[in-house]
Amino acid sequence: MSDRNTTPTETTAFNVATPTSSLLLWLWAPMLLVLSIDPLIRVFAGKPPFQATFASWGGWLILFLVGAALTVAYRRRELRVEPKQLTIAATLYTRRVALSSMRLERARVVNFAENPDFKPGGKSNGFQFPGFRAGHFHMKGGGKAFCLITDNSRVLVIPLRDGNSVLVSPEQPRALLDELRRLADGGAQA
C-alpha cells in the first residue's frame, strides 16, 4: 500500500524568502561608479569620454557581462526536500545535506536582530550583499555553515552532526523544519 507521505521519490520545493529588490543596487552601484571614473577624468581633462578603441569601451563591456552573470547567479535560489536529503541551490553553489547528518532536535528558527550569535561571520567561499548570503561561511562561535540567507528575520538554523550548520531563509521556515522532521521520523521508523 502506497502512502503519499512515504513515497521514496517525493520531492517538495519550498519558496525562498524574497530578498529586498534594492539588493542588486549593492552589485551595480559600485560597478557603475568604477566604470564612470575614467570617462569623467577624460571629460575634465578636455578629452572625449570614449574613443573608438576597445581599450576605451572594452572595460564597460566586460564589467557589464560580469554584472549580468552575477545578477543571474543571484537569482538562483532553491530549496528542495527529497526523501533522504535537503538540496540547497544558492547562486553558484549547490549543497545536498543528508537528513541523517542533521541534528533536527536542535534546529530552530531565529531572527538575527534578536539572536546575533547565530549570524555568520566571514565568508570562506560565498556571495554576499547586505542582507543576502549564499555559499560557505565561518560561524562566529566556530564551525562552518552553508548559507542561503535572504531575510535576516526568519532563518532556519540546522546544526549538523559534524559540528557545521546549514542556514536557510525559506518563506515558511517552520513548515520546512516540520517537513524535515516528518521525513526523518519516517526514515527512523522504516
Side-chain angles (χ1 to χ4, degrees), residues 98-154:
L99 286 175
S100 61
S101 70
M102 297 179 190
R103 300 182 76 179
L104 293 172
E105 70 281 0
R106 292 191 177 183
R108 63 193 306 190
V109 178
V110 300
N111 179 340
F112 288 156
E114 298 168 0
N115 300 292
D117 294 340
F118 290 99
K119 193 172 185 178
K123 66 181 172 187
S124 57
N125 184 5
F127 195 88
Q128 179 177 1
F129 298 132
F132 179 81
R133 290 177 184 84
H136 303 273
F137 290 78
H138 294 283
M139 296 300 289
K140 290 179 181 177
K144 297 176 184 174
F146 185 82
C147 300
L148 174 52
I149 301 170
T150 57
D151 183 347
N152 290 335
S153 67
R154 52 180 165 183

Side-chain angles (χ1 to χ4, degrees), residues 24 27-28 66-77 91-92 127:
L24 284 177
L27 170 68
W28 285 99
V66 168
L70 290 175
T71 300
V72 168
Y74 162 78
R75 295 185 183 276
R76 182 177 176 258
R77 301 180 296 268
T91 65
L92 305 173
F127 195 88

Side-chain angles (χ1 to χ4, degrees), residues 13-170:
F14 283 84
N15 292 330
V16 177
T18 305
T20 61
S21 59
S22 64
L23 284 180
L24 284 177
L25 185 63
W26 288 100
L27 170 68
W28 285 99
M31 283 198 298
L32 293 175
L33 178 66
V34 167
L35 288 172
S36 64
I37 291 172
D38 184 52
L40 286 174
I41 290 171
R42 293 170 85 49
V43 166
F44 286 120
K47 299 177 182 176
F50 297 101
Q51 298 173 344
T53 64
F54 181 77
S56 177
W57 56 267
W60 281 80
L61 176 64
I62 291 169
L63 265 156
F64 174 78
L65 292 174
V66 168
L70 290 175
T71 300
V72 168
Y74 162 78
R75 295 185 183 276
R76 182 177 176 258
R77 301 180 296 268
E78 183 181 18
L79 294 171
R80 271 190 337 267
V81 176
E82 297 164 359
K84 297 190 185 281
Q85 69 183 10
L86 170 65
T87 301
I88 306 160
T91 65
L92 305 173
Y93 309 94
T94 300
R95 173 87 190 261
R96 290 173 183 81
V97 184
L99 286 175
S100 61
S101 70
M102 297 179 190
R103 300 182 76 179
L104 293 172
E105 70 281 0
R106 292 191 177 183
R108 63 193 306 190
V109 178
V110 300
N111 179 340
F112 288 156
E114 298 168 0
N115 300 292
D117 294 340
F118 290 99
K119 193 172 185 178
K123 66 181 172 187
S124 57
N125 184 5
F127 195 88
Q128 179 177 1
F129 298 132
F132 179 81
R133 290 177 184 84
H136 303 273
F137 290 78
H138 294 283
M139 296 300 289
K140 290 179 181 177
K144 297 176 184 174
F146 185 82
C147 300
L148 174 52
I149 301 170
T150 57
D151 183 347
N152 290 335
S153 67
R154 52 180 165 183
V155 179
L156 176 57
V157 178
I158 305 171
L160 303 177
R161 298 196 188 285
D162 64 2
N164 296 326
S165 301
V166 170
L167 283 72
V168 293
S169 293

